[in-house]
Amino acid sequence: MAIQKGNLSIDSENIFPIIKKWLYSDHDIFIRELISNGVDAITKMKRLDSMGEASVEEGTHFMVTVTSSPSEKTLTFQDNGIGMTKEEVEKYINQIAFSGAADFLEKYKDKDQSEQIIGHFGLGFYSAFMVADKVTIDTLSYQDGAKPVHWESDGGLTYEMSEGNRLERGTTIILYLSEDSIEFANEYRVKEVINKYCSFMPVEIYYINEDKAKEEAKKEIEAEVKSEEDEFIGDEPKKDDKVVEAEETKKDESKPLNDINPLWTRTPADCKDEDYIDFYQHLFLDFKEPLFWIHLNMDYPFNLKGILYFPRINPNMDKLEGTVKLYNNQVFVADNIKEVIPEFLLVLKGVIDCPDLPLNVSRSALQNDGFVAKISDYITKKVADKLIGMYKNHRDRYEELWDDLSPFIKFGCLRDNKFDEKMKDHMIFKNLEDKYITLPEYLEAAKDTHENQVFYVSDAETQARYIQMFKDEGIDAIYLTHNIDNPYITMMEARDESVKFARIDSDLSANFKGEALSEEDEKKYTDSLTETFKKALGVENIKIKVESLKDENVSSMLTQSEADRRMAEMMKMYSEAGMGGMGMNLGQDTETLVLNSNNKLVKYVLDNPDEEITPTICSQLYDLAVLANKPLTAEELTRFVARSNEILTKLI
């Protein structure tokens, strides 16, 4: 074959900026593309062999080999797949198989990544020019009588093609790296990228450090010579350290870098619990065991396999985020693609492999397609079905895991109406008796005392006093202690407007009250105590309410209406998000000090507003009420301790 020269049939000066800046934003992705091409070539060869249209030598070990040479600044990709003829190189490399270069550039140069461009063969190979000044191809087709082809190009603008000297079927691509891409000749960098993108490709991938291999071969020869010399002079031959080192290197290089049969490709019946746990810990470097997992295995109406793990989640984390890795035929595409994986499932960890995904040519983005929505709906349904099955068939296990599962499930209900519709009847809540109940069960039990009113605990420690009061009166409440519970409460109220939620310290239920005060007495007591407490505490904006409570040992309590507290929390959230100008004072100073008219200390203050000890009692009553809700500040606590000592001293 005479040397053939020519220009690539595309305006390369225009196409390469598109490849670099648009298709492949991450330069390391060229390794994935070139290895994928090799894997595709081997897959085609296997298929032809199985169809009887080609024959593969017995004992053939199919593999892709990546070789780097730091000294030569080269990176080589070699496969023993289908290979290419001269005509195929012309079609797939020189012409880049576009229907028209001008049409392509016009159509795609200003488009975003969602546009349809898959199928334009050749762009994967041309990602090599992101890092290489020169690229060569040596290839030999499987077809009888085919001649080897050598192809090379400097910078991707022009090429030379001639008859090559390759003797075995397959393709070898050598990249002569540019100065700013020398990192890709480094062994650890190459292995890092292969591990990132190619860990589960279906053909074995091997790596060789050419410089190291040459050095080890040299050491081995030197060691053999030395061994022969030792044997000649009568010394007992033994393995030289250099030989041992060389053998270790060979042993390491004899292992593939990838797992060609990852766990998700197997049927669930063939997988043991320890297999799932080992795979999870290896892939995510998380040595806590997952709570449980879902093995997805679907062939119709689309092909989808995968494993979703439910990790142990910190329930008080503001941001719930996991990692779901998306694969296409065992080739890594990206983490957490929201079009495929519903947003609420991104708190999970796992893998999804869908060969039918409509990806663009860079495999880094999805095309807009109704098919993608069907995949997302399927995944949502499978997760809901798994949880509902556990609720119905393994209720003990469901309750055992509920504290870990509930943030995820509630987040899912908030973000996905279909998921909420499935899960709403399978939500459980722990009550004051430390039992799990559903919301309908709670409402049924409460219909005679506080119909359609749901009391809840948000902090068991600071609300301990109120919890005890509820228990003493036989009134139940549920625990809603996660950060996500506030928006979840709002959603449940919107779903059923007849049901209202109130934190147990939001108001004092009629069940706690004794004989009601007359309107005249209530106003008189409130006015008198408000004036006394303002004077004692030195504040003007305190809100006082006098109630007749059954338990005379309860002297004072702080309450805040549910609406006011939610408003205050919302304003705090806006402030923390840098939106402090939005209604700054809304929800502030809305706490009410409730004083029990049946308590002896309160009666004393009412009857003796001008006594010397009255301000001390008022301050103590206020601090006791605050302590039942939240910690005192350092300054407040110092005053409280000093005042307590003062009161105790007067008892002596």
Side-chain angles (χ1 to χ4, degrees):
M1 181 194 306
I3 295 177
Q4 176 181 331
K5 298 184 179 181
N7 294 320
L8 296 170
S9 59
I10 188 166
D11 190 341
S12 303
E13 292 179 354
N14 288 334
I15 190 64
F16 284 118
I18 291 177
I19 292 175
K20 290 182 179 183
K21 294 183 180 180
W22 175 54
L23 283 179
Y24 301 109
S25 56
D26 297 324
H27 281 195
D28 63 4
I29 216 164
F30 79 94
I31 292 178
R32 181 192 72 180
E33 293 301 293
L34 295 180
I35 291 178
S36 294
N37 286 346
V39 170
D40 290 344
I42 289 172
T43 303
K44 290 175 183 176
M45 192 65 221
K46 289 180 177 179
R47 187 174 298 128
L48 288 172
D49 180 54
S50 67
M51 295 166 59
E53 296 186 12
S55 61
V56 175
E57 301 82 358
E58 188 175 345
T60 295
H61 182 190
F62 284 109
M63 70 180 85
V64 174
T65 303
V66 181
T67 305
S68 71
S69 173
S71 63
E72 298 293 331
K73 302 177 183 178
T74 61
L75 189 61
T76 302
F77 299 82
Q78 182 170 322
D79 69 74
N80 53 351
I82 196 172
M84 289 184 287
T85 63
K86 175 179 178 292
E87 291 71 27
E88 287 168 335
V89 173
E90 282 275 13
K91 180 179 180 181
Y92 297 130
I93 303 299
N94 295 346
Q95 297 180 26
I96 318 185
F98 294 140
S99 57
D103 290 344
F104 171 81
L105 290 172
E106 185 62 29
K107 186 174 182 181
Y108 295 113
K109 66 182 179 181
D110 297 321
K111 301 294 184 180
D112 63 29
Q113 293 191 2
S114 66
E115 294 292 328
Q116 156 73 353
I117 59 172
I118 194 165
H120 295 293
F121 192 98
L123 283 182
F125 163 73
Y126 274 90
S127 65
F129 285 97
M130 293 192 299
V131 297
D133 292 329
K134 176 183 175 181
V135 178
T136 67
I137 302 174
D138 280 284
T139 184
L140 176 62
S141 173
Y142 76 96
Q143 298 179 26
D144 291 337
K147 293 182 178 181
V149 180
H150 174 79
W151 181 97
E152 64 180 66
S153 175
D154 287 317
L157 300 177
T158 61
Y159 71 88
E160 287 186 4
M161 187 167 65
S162 60
E163 185 171 325
N165 54 17
R166 185 182 178 94
L167 301 177
E168 297 178 346
R169 181 198 68 245
T171 301
T172 299
I173 300 172
I174 303 177
L175 279 56
Y176 295 83
L177 299 168
S178 58
E179 285 300 322
D180 60 355
S181 300
I182 298 301
E183 61 177 295
F184 293 110
N186 178 277
E187 175 176 347
Y188 300 102
R189 183 72 173 102
V190 175
K191 286 183 175 179
E192 176 190 39
V193 179
I194 292 175
N195 182 62
K196 176 181 177 181
Y197 294 111
C198 312
S199 286
F200 303 106
M201 283 190 177
V203 174
E204 290 183 350
I205 302 166
Y206 293 84
Y207 171 80
I208 298 174
N209 184 322
E210 188 173 5
D211 292 1
K212 189 185 292 185
K214 288 178 180 178
E215 183 63 28
E216 298 305 333
K218 180 181 177 183
K219 290 178 182 179
E220 195 169 346
I221 292 172
E222 291 174 351
E224 287 177 359
V225 171
K226 184 177 184 301
S227 176
E228 290 174 1
E229 291 175 350
D230 290 341
E231 189 174 358
F232 178 75
I233 62 176
D235 290 346
E236 183 180 346
K238 60 180 179 180
K239 283 191 177 180
D240 187 274
D241 289 342
K242 292 181 178 180
V243 175
V244 174
E245 186 179 346
E247 289 178 350
E248 287 299 318
T249 299
K250 285 185 178 180
K251 184 178 179 182
D252 183 58
E253 290 177 349
S254 68
K255 297 178 181 177
L257 299 179
N258 59 323
D259 177 4
I260 65 173
N261 296 304
L263 196 64
W264 73 78
T265 63
R266 308 180 206 170
T267 58
D270 295 333
C271 303
K272 301 176 182 178
D273 286 355
E274 50 265 35
D275 295 330
Y276 289 108
I277 294 170
D278 288 346
F279 182 74
Y280 171 82
Q281 294 179 338
H282 170 74
L283 187 59
F284 297 106
L285 300 178
D286 183 351
F287 297 100
K288 299 186 298 292
E289 290 190 5
L291 300 174
F292 64 97
W293 48 85
I294 302 173
H295 194 142
L296 307 170
N297 194 343
M298 184 177 187
D299 295 321
Y300 182 83
F302 46 80
N303 191 335
L304 183 145
K305 300 181 187 299
I307 306 170
L308 291 177
Y309 290 93
F310 289 70
R312 295 190 182 277
I313 298 171
N314 182 344
N316 294 315
M317 286 177 62
D318 291 328
K319 189 175 183 181
L320 302 174
E321 185 173 358
T323 301
V324 179
K325 296 179 178 293
L326 184 64
Y327 289 80
N328 182 272
N329 276 323
Q330 297 176 228
V331 179
F332 175 73
V333 175
D335 289 327
N336 297 354
I337 291 187
K338 294 180 181 179
E339 294 92 338
V340 178
I341 303 153
E343 184 180 7
F344 75 93
L345 289 180
L346 297 181
V347 305
L348 303 184
K349 294 181 179 181
V351 295
I352 299 291
D353 190 340
C354 186
D356 299 331
L357 280 178
L359 298 173
N360 72 6
V361 73
S362 71
R363 313 179 208 220
S364 60
L366 289 172
Q367 303 159 21
N368 292 327
D369 196 308
F371 175 71
V372 175
K374 293 179 181 178
I375 296 174
S376 179
D377 288 346
Y378 166 76
I379 295 172
T380 299
K381 178 180 181 300
K382 293 298 290 184
V383 171
D385 288 347
K386 175 73 174 183
L387 293 167
I388 293 170
M390 188 182 296
Y391 172 90
K392 291 179 177 178
N393 304 316
H394 305 283
R395 179 67 179 262
D396 290 345
R397 178 64 173 160
Y398 191 72
E399 292 182 359
E400 179 186 336
L401 297 177
W402 182 251
D403 280 349
D404 290 296
L405 290 177
S406 61
F408 152 75
I409 296 176
K410 291 168 185 173
F411 183 60
C413 292
L414 287 168
R415 304 299 296 183
D416 191 298
N417 290 335
K418 292 180 180 178
F419 185 75
D420 176 50
E421 192 63 32
K422 281 182 166 291
M423 291 303 304
K424 66 180 182 181
D425 294 331
H426 306 93
M427 307 296 288
I428 57 175
F429 307 89
K430 184 174 284 188
N431 67 1
L432 297 185
E433 296 179 4
D434 206 34
K435 295 179 180 178
Y436 282 103
I437 59 173
T438 64
L439 197 59
E441 288 170 344
Y442 176 90
L443 292 170
E444 176 64 24
K447 64 182 181 182
D448 294 332
T449 55
H450 48 98
E451 188 174 13
N452 291 331
Q453 180 82 40
V454 181
F455 291 110
Y456 68 93
V457 177
S458 63
D459 188 317
E461 290 187 8
T462 61
Q463 293 154 22
R465 184 181 184 185
Y466 300 88
I467 291 173
Q468 190 57 52
M469 288 178 62
F470 270 63
K471 287 181 175 179
D472 291 344
E473 291 296 326
I475 304 173
D476 203 3
I478 59 176
Y479 287 92
L480 294 171
T481 58
H482 299 156
N483 288 341
I484 202 168
D485 283 324
N486 279 341
Y488 185 70
I489 287 169
T490 302
M491 187 195 74
M492 285 194 288
E493 289 177 331
R495 187 196 295 153
D496 186 349
E497 295 182 359
S498 66
V499 176
K500 297 299 177 185
F501 286 75
R503 205 166 75 177
I504 58 172
D505 60 349
S506 63
D507 199 359
L508 293 176
S509 165
N511 296 279
F512 300 113
K513 297 176 183 179
E515 187 175 344
L517 295 171
S518 66
E519 288 186 16
E520 182 180 348
D521 284 343
E522 184 177 326
K523 184 177 186 311
K524 180 177 69 173
Y525 294 161
T526 298
D527 290 344
S528 174
L529 289 173
T530 299
E531 188 63 31
T532 302
F533 271 80
K534 281 183 178 181
K535 183 178 179 181
L537 301 176
V539 295
E540 285 295 323
N541 59 353
I542 189 169
K543 293 175 67 175
I544 300 286
K545 186 177 183 181
V546 179
E547 297 276 11
S548 172
L549 302 180
K550 291 179 181 178
D551 189 349
E552 63 179 34
N553 292 317
V554 176
S555 57
S556 57
M557 302 182 73
L558 278 182
T559 63
Q560 185 178 30
S561 75
E562 185 72 10
D564 287 346
R565 185 185 55 75
R566 291 193 198 181
M567 179 63 73
E569 289 176 351
M570 184 176 68
M571 290 302 104
K572 181 182 178 183
M573 179 184 68
Y574 284 144
S575 177
E576 290 175 350
M579 304 166 66
M582 297 181 63
M584 273 297 291
N585 294 318
L586 286 175
Q588 301 297 316
D589 303 321
T590 58
E591 291 179 332
T592 299
L593 177 64
V594 177
L595 297 169
N596 182 9
S597 60
N598 291 326
N599 179 261
K600 293 179 179 179
L601 286 173
V602 175
K603 289 179 179 178
Y604 181 87
V605 173
L606 274 169
D607 296 337
N608 304 279
D610 298 322
E611 286 295 319
E612 181 181 353
I613 197 173
T614 296
T616 300
I617 295 174
C618 290
S619 297
Q620 199 74 355
L621 289 174
Y622 180 76
D623 282 352
L624 288 171
V626 173
L627 274 171
N629 284 61
K630 57 190 175 184
L632 295 172
T633 66
E635 185 178 345
E636 291 168 342
L637 185 59
T638 299
R639 290 199 300 265
F640 177 77
V641 171
R643 191 186 315 116
S644 299
N645 285 326
E646 177 189 347
I647 293 172
L648 291 172
T649 301
K650 291 182 178 180
L651 295 176
I652 299 174

